[in-house]
Amino acid sequence: MSKGPNAARRNESSRQAILAATEDLCRENGYGRLTIEAIAARAGVGKTTIYRWWPSKGAVVLELLDQAATLASAPPDTGDLAADLRTLLTEVIGILTPVHTSPATGLIAEALQDPDLAHDLREHLIEPRIAAFKQRLRRAQDAGQLSADADLDVALDLLYGPLYHRMALHLGMPDPGHLDSLVAHVLRALTPPHPAGVRERRRKSQTGVS
Amino acid sequence: MSKGPNAARRNESSRQAILAATEDLCRENGYGRLTIEAIAARAGVGKTTIYRWWPSKGAVVLELLDQAATLASAPPDTGDLAADLRTLLTEVIGILTPVHTSPATGLIAEALQDPDLAHDLREHLIEPRIAAFKQRLRRAQDAGQLSADADLDVALDLLYGPLYHRMALHLGMPDPGHLDSLVAHVLRALTPPHPAGVRERRRKSQTGVS
Amino acid sequence: MSKGPNAARRNESSRQAILAATEDLCRENGYGRLTIEAIAARAGVGKTTIYRWWPSKGAVVLELLDQAATLASAPPDTGDLAADLRTLLTEVIGILTPVHTSPATGLIAEALQDPDLAHDLREHLIEPRIAAFKQRLRRAQDAGQLSADADLDVALDLLYGPLYHRMALHLGMPDPGHLDSLVAHVLRALTPPHPAGVRERRRKSQTGVS
Amino acid sequence: MSKGPNAARRNESSRQAILAATEDLCRENGYGRLTIEAIAARAGVGKTTIYRWWPSKGAVVLELLDQAATLASAPPDTGDLAADLRTLLTEVIGILTPVHTSPATGLIAEALQDPDLAHDLREHLIEPRIAAFKQRLRRAQDAGQLSADADLDVALDLLYGPLYHRMALHLGMPDPGHLDSLVAHVLRALTPPHPAGVRERRRKSQTGVS
DNA sequence: TTGTAAGCGAGACGGTACGTCCGGTCTTCCG
DNA sequence: CGGAAGACCGGACGTACCGTCTCGCTTACAA
């Protein structure tokens, strides 16, 4: 991201002004009404300067989110797996809310139509977070809180899926109670019954499924 | 949708031409490059005629999808719950694929920025399907294939969530094996361990699933 | 000029507003600082409307001059050839003054770099005037005020040439005395020495001139 | 022209490269499409270097012409006045041709909109030539080839005027025959009929001319 | 002989205007 | 009188150059 012509000579204060203006305008009018012209005007910057370093408004917003994100990137680990998952999910809910004005939502919408942007989005924002999420789950597996053969991709789908489902279909984000319930259900699906005899049989049926 | 000035006097052949042109152009260039002007030109219709009956290009596409959807709307019920769920999910996967050119995906992207369109989208395409889905699950509860107190909203989230998650983040739709696994996990999550007698019946239905 | 897409549907009031704005802005800032954007803004018109009907700002200014010119197009004929010529030249001096802000001068400058504009300029503004000029001279020949074999192209060059010479080289337009002298010299050059009797008549008419 | 900050330290090879690039680009694309950026790029020079020494692209072109001109500056004097005038005019015709790509024409066009440039143009290129021209005419007067009271400004107008007239109005430069005729007419206009004795001498010199 | 100040290449920067595209409204005329 | 045709105003697009402004670097004069 932003590795244009000659990054050495780049004017950092312009870069900051552009990102700040982008954030302001996005919050004010929503991503959809965001305009390169308006960003340039608000930031007191020539349009050229934006086009020199970013290929589209989506890329600007992506860098904005990227910068904000790196501030809080380490995955939480309190020892309480369910609580940590709720923390991770709550963070994402915050990012996706309110649906119609959140920069992240707008970015996702644009990326749905723009493969290049989609690629950058996945590379810069999403994959690192998925990695952190899986890392936390793997630690849980090591601690025996999750069955050793649990499918982490399934876990990813089941835990984050509901948020994007609700975002996409405008169903409203889950309230804390719902979230609790979702996490509990998913953990149950990933941790077979404990009593010795039962656990054995369960493991067998899983083998048949997967 | 399309309840303009005086629907009685409406020219049906123009309507069809517009929808057909919309579909063609969407497939050719993707939803993002779709333009009211291009639709009008391709359909041999004045722009006025489009604006008279639809408020935005999203609404046109919505009607297009609506029309296509009503052809296959009745929820399947073969008695095999897992299979029926896989059928429902597979249909949605088809609609959302390929991500960057599917009209449905484009529509979802636009609705993320346009509350009015989001409302119509939910009302016309989504809620009926959710209702059908829940109806199917309720029938499963009645048949004892699902615990009587299973939370159907959670089921909805867990089953459809992964699809929208993957769409939004460009992770690729689940292949049949993954889908299988997802459905199996979710059904397991919805049939929690119970006192012995109950557990026996449940185990029977699981057998049917796997 | 201005025979675009479908001249029938053209909005005449927009056309007038554009020409009026063009004239104002040209007088205010000079032709060089004239801008299509400014014209559109001042006229309360979309840029598209200008580009639809004119290929360049030069073409707009040309139409402006054309419209102004047709109001006073008939060549003067008072019977006094020298006076009529001075009238014609004075009119052109007026059009070319002040050099740096006159729309006509700007147009000539632009046409020097733009062959298309040059063609339209010659066709619409210049050739009709040349024709009128030659017509007047021919009438003078018929009246015996000019030798029958005088070369009218030479006359054209010698009479109008000085004005463009001075415009091009920023030498200042001739004052009335100079103009007088120029006309006198040229008329003398066009009435070469002849057998005595003839020369007498000529000298008389020359006296009238000087 | 080009008397910047500290002319002593000036890099002469850059100066030459700039002038050369200017000439090339002007011939290739015409003065109108000439750009400071393009000159700098072609010359392998920073834009700053151009702006340091010249105030505008017009000034660069002016210096270019100036340099070319000084190579052939002395006014011809073969004793044959008419021939010498034809030589002078022919040289100017060469400079102004072809109208749409000649650097001189472009410069004149630009100067019509830019008083500063006009001033430099007159000072550096035009006035010296006018002086030379008048000097030649004065020598002709001294030799009795021209009447002693002939108005040299009128002569200037009548001889050079046609060229600029034709340039400005895109009428095509005079061919040799025309040129001949023009010079002959003008010389005749400058040697008016006089008392018999004088007239005889004059007529003789005219014979030599025409 | 070594600063130090200039000229220089490179090119980022804030701007202005370009000419195009499309959105949404309004008008005209045809069937 | 509905609809095709399309002109219209407006606003944003992405591009081209403008003229100014740092950057390091070389280069030549002065201490």
Side-chain angles (χ1 to χ4, degrees):
Chain A
M1 197 183 329
S2 77
K3 296 193 241 115
N6 186 343
R9 293 196 184 282
R10 183 160 185 188
N11 182 337
E12 177 62 17
S13 75
S14 287
R15 186 178 151 271
Q16 291 298 348
I18 289 165
L19 294 178
T22 301
E23 176 154 30
D24 289 357
L25 289 168
C26 209
R27 295 257 169 247
E28 284 171 26
N29 312 118
Y31 181 95
R33 304 197 194 293
L34 190 61
T35 272
I36 299 265
E37 295 222 328
I39 295 172
R42 175 77 69 103
V45 139
K47 281 199 285 176
T48 319
T49 301
I50 300 181
Y51 284 112
R52 179 154 33 230
W53 301 109
W54 293 278
S56 66
K57 76 168 178 173
V60 181
V61 174
L62 176 54
E63 181 157 338
L64 177 66
L65 292 177
D66 203 18
Q67 185 169 264
T70 46
L71 303 177
S73 57
D77 189 349
T78 64
D80 180 346
L81 177 59
D84 287 350
L85 292 177
R86 284 195 300 268
T87 301
L88 284 169
L89 294 177
T90 302
E91 188 202 353
V92 172
I93 290 176
I95 291 172
L96 298 179
T97 307
V99 172
H100 287 108
T101 59
S102 141
T105 300
L107 195 56
I108 288 171
E110 186 131 314
L112 283 172
Q113 305 294 318
D114 176 348
D116 290 348
L117 180 58
H119 174 267
D120 286 356
L121 173 61
R122 199 170 56 238
E123 188 167 298
H124 288 275
L125 280 187
I126 296 169
E127 283 176 355
R129 284 161 180 262
I130 289 179
F133 170 83
K134 286 189 177 171
Q135 183 188 336
R136 178 65 188 85
L137 285 196
R138 238 171 332 250
R139 235 173 299 164
Q141 282 180 315
D142 294 345
Q145 294 166 313
L146 229 47
S147 65
D149 59 355
D151 184 333
L152 299 191
D153 285 321
V154 166
L156 184 71
D157 271 340
L158 293 181
L159 285 167
Y160 283 100
L163 307 190
Y164 292 99
H165 174 223
R166 282 151 177 270
M167 174 200 74
L169 306 188
H170 311 274
L171 301 172
M173 285 294 154
D175 58 42
H178 242 95
L179 195 59
D180 222 46
S181 171
L182 284 168
V183 171
H185 276 83
V186 172
L187 288 184
R188 188 179 319 132
L190 296 173
T191 45
H194 279 84
V198 175
R199 191 190 305 146
E200 287 311 309
R201 283 208 299 279
R202 284 285 140 92
R203 209 176 281 151
K204 243 177 107 190
S205 76
Q206 277 187 358
T207 309
V209 166
S210 56
Chain B
M1 195 184 333
S2 78
K3 295 190 244 123
N6 185 343
R9 294 189 184 255
R10 182 161 185 188
N11 181 336
E12 177 61 17
S13 74
S14 287
R15 184 177 155 272
Q16 291 299 347
I18 289 165
L19 294 178
T22 301
E23 177 155 29
D24 289 357
L25 290 168
C26 208
R27 296 255 168 248
E28 284 170 26
N29 312 117
Y31 181 93
R33 305 198 192 293
L34 189 61
T35 273
I36 297 265
E37 297 220 333
I39 295 172
R42 174 77 69 102
V45 138
K47 282 201 286 178
T48 320
T49 304
I50 299 180
Y51 283 111
R52 187 166 10 244
W53 300 107
W54 292 277
S56 66
K57 78 166 175 175
V60 180
V61 174
L62 177 55
E63 180 157 339
L64 178 66
L65 291 177
D66 204 18
Q67 188 168 263
T70 46
L71 303 177
S73 59
D77 191 351
T78 63
D80 180 345
L81 177 59
D84 287 351
L85 292 178
R86 285 194 302 267
T87 301
L88 283 169
L89 294 177
T90 302
E91 187 203 353
V92 171
I93 290 175
I95 291 173
L96 297 180
T97 306
V99 172
H100 287 110
T101 59
S102 141
T105 300
L107 196 57
I108 287 171
E110 185 132 318
L112 282 174
Q113 304 294 319
D114 177 348
D116 290 348
L117 181 57
H119 176 267
D120 286 356
L121 173 61
R122 201 169 57 236
E123 188 168 300
H124 287 275
L125 280 187
I126 295 167
E127 283 176 353
R129 283 162 181 261
I130 289 178
F133 170 83
K134 286 188 177 171
Q135 182 187 336
R136 179 64 187 85
L137 284 197
R138 246 184 312 263
R139 237 175 294 164
Q141 282 181 315
D142 294 346
Q145 295 167 312
L146 228 48
S147 67
D149 59 355
D151 185 331
L152 299 191
D153 285 320
V154 167
L156 184 69
D157 272 339
L158 293 180
L159 285 166
Y160 282 100
L163 306 190
Y164 292 99
H165 174 223
R166 282 148 176 272
M167 173 199 74
L169 306 188
H170 312 273
L171 301 171
M173 284 295 155
D175 60 42
H178 245 95
L179 194 61
D180 224 45
S181 172
L182 283 168
V183 171
H185 276 83
V186 171
L187 289 183
R188 186 176 328 127
L190 294 173
T191 53
H194 274 97
V198 176
R199 194 188 304 148
E200 286 310 309
R201 283 212 302 279
R202 287 288 135 92
R203 204 176 292 149
K204 246 176 105 189
S205 74
Q206 278 187 356
T207 308
V209 165
S210 56
Chain C
M1 197 183 331
S2 79
K3 298 196 235 108
N6 186 342
R9 294 194 183 281
R10 183 161 187 187
N11 182 337
E12 177 61 17
S13 74
S14 287
R15 184 177 154 273
Q16 291 299 347
I18 289 165
L19 293 178
T22 301
E23 177 155 29
D24 289 357
L25 290 168
C26 209
R27 295 253 169 251
E28 284 170 26
N29 312 116
Y31 181 93
R33 304 196 192 295
L34 190 59
T35 271
I36 298 266
E37 295 221 330
I39 296 173
R42 174 77 68 104
V45 140
K47 281 199 286 177
T48 319
T49 302
I50 299 180
Y51 284 112
R52 181 156 29 233
W53 301 108
W54 293 278
S56 66
K57 77 166 177 174
V60 181
V61 174
L62 176 54
E63 181 157 339
L64 178 66
L65 292 177
D66 203 17
Q67 188 169 264
T70 46
L71 303 177
S73 58
D77 190 350
T78 64
D80 179 346
L81 176 59
D84 288 348
L85 292 177
R86 283 196 302 268
T87 300
L88 283 169
L89 294 177
T90 302
E91 187 202 354
V92 171
I93 290 175
I95 291 172
L96 298 180
T97 308
V99 172
H100 288 109
T101 59
S102 140
T105 300
L107 195 56
I108 288 170
E110 185 132 317
L112 281 174
Q113 304 295 318
D114 176 348
D116 290 348
L117 181 58
H119 175 266
D120 287 356
L121 172 61
R122 199 170 56 239
E123 188 167 299
H124 288 276
L125 280 188
I126 295 168
E127 283 176 353
R129 284 163 180 261
I130 289 178
F133 170 84
K134 286 189 176 169
Q135 183 187 334
R136 179 64 188 85
L137 284 196
R138 243 179 319 258
R139 235 173 298 165
Q141 282 181 315
D142 294 346
Q145 295 167 312
L146 228 49
S147 66
D149 59 357
D151 184 331
L152 300 192
D153 285 319
V154 167
L156 183 69
D157 272 339
L158 293 180
L159 284 167
Y160 283 100
L163 307 190
Y164 292 100
H165 174 223
R166 284 149 175 271
M167 174 199 75
L169 306 188
H170 312 275
L171 301 171
M173 284 295 154
D175 59 42
H178 244 97
L179 194 60
D180 223 45
S181 173
L182 284 168
V183 171
H185 276 83
V186 172
L187 288 184
R188 187 176 326 129
L190 295 173
T191 52
H194 274 99
V198 175
R199 193 188 306 145
E200 286 311 308
R201 283 211 301 280
R202 286 287 138 90
R203 206 178 289 149
K204 239 175 114 192
S205 72
Q206 278 185 1
T207 308
V209 164
S210 56
Chain D
M1 197 184 328
S2 77
K3 294 192 241 116
N6 185 343
R9 289 183 183 251
R10 183 162 187 186
N11 182 336
E12 177 62 18
S13 75
S14 288
R15 184 177 155 274
Q16 290 298 346
I18 289 165
L19 293 178
T22 300
E23 177 155 29
D24 290 356
L25 289 168
C26 208
R27 295 257 169 246
E28 284 172 26
N29 312 118
Y31 181 94
R33 303 196 194 294
L34 189 61
T35 273
I36 298 266
E37 297 222 330
I39 295 172
R42 174 76 70 104
V45 137
K47 282 199 287 176
T48 319
T49 303
I50 300 180
Y51 284 112
R52 183 162 18 240
W53 301 108
W54 293 277
S56 66
K57 76 166 178 175
V60 180
V61 174
L62 177 54
E63 180 158 339
L64 177 67
L65 292 177
D66 204 17
Q67 186 169 262
T70 46
L71 302 178
S73 59
D77 190 350
T78 63
D80 180 346
L81 177 59
D84 288 350
L85 292 178
R86 284 196 300 268
T87 300
L88 284 170
L89 294 177
T90 302
E91 187 202 355
V92 171
I93 289 175
I95 291 172
L96 298 180
T97 307
V99 173
H100 288 110
T101 59
S102 141
T105 300
L107 196 56
I108 288 171
E110 185 131 315
L112 282 174
Q113 305 294 318
D114 176 348
D116 290 348
L117 181 58
H119 175 266
D120 286 356
L121 173 61
R122 200 169 55 237
E123 188 168 299
H124 287 275
L125 280 187
I126 296 168
E127 284 176 352
R129 286 165 178 258
I130 289 178
F133 170 84
K134 286 188 176 171
Q135 183 188 336
R136 179 66 186 85
L137 284 196
R138 244 179 318 258
R139 236 174 298 163
Q141 283 182 314
D142 294 346
Q145 295 167 312
L146 228 47
S147 66
D149 59 355
D151 185 332
L152 299 191
D153 286 319
V154 167
L156 184 70
D157 272 339
L158 293 181
L159 284 167
Y160 283 100
L163 307 190
Y164 292 99
H165 175 224
R166 282 150 176 271
M167 173 199 75
L169 306 189
H170 311 273
L171 300 172
M173 285 294 154
D175 58 42
H178 243 96
L179 195 60
D180 222 46
S181 172
L182 283 168
V183 171
H185 276 84
V186 172
L187 289 183
R188 188 180 321 134
L190 295 173
T191 52
H194 274 96
V198 175
R199 192 190 307 146
E200 285 312 309
R201 281 210 303 278
R202 286 285 138 90
R203 208 179 284 153
K204 243 174 112 188
S205 73
Q206 277 187 1
T207 309
V209 165
S210 57

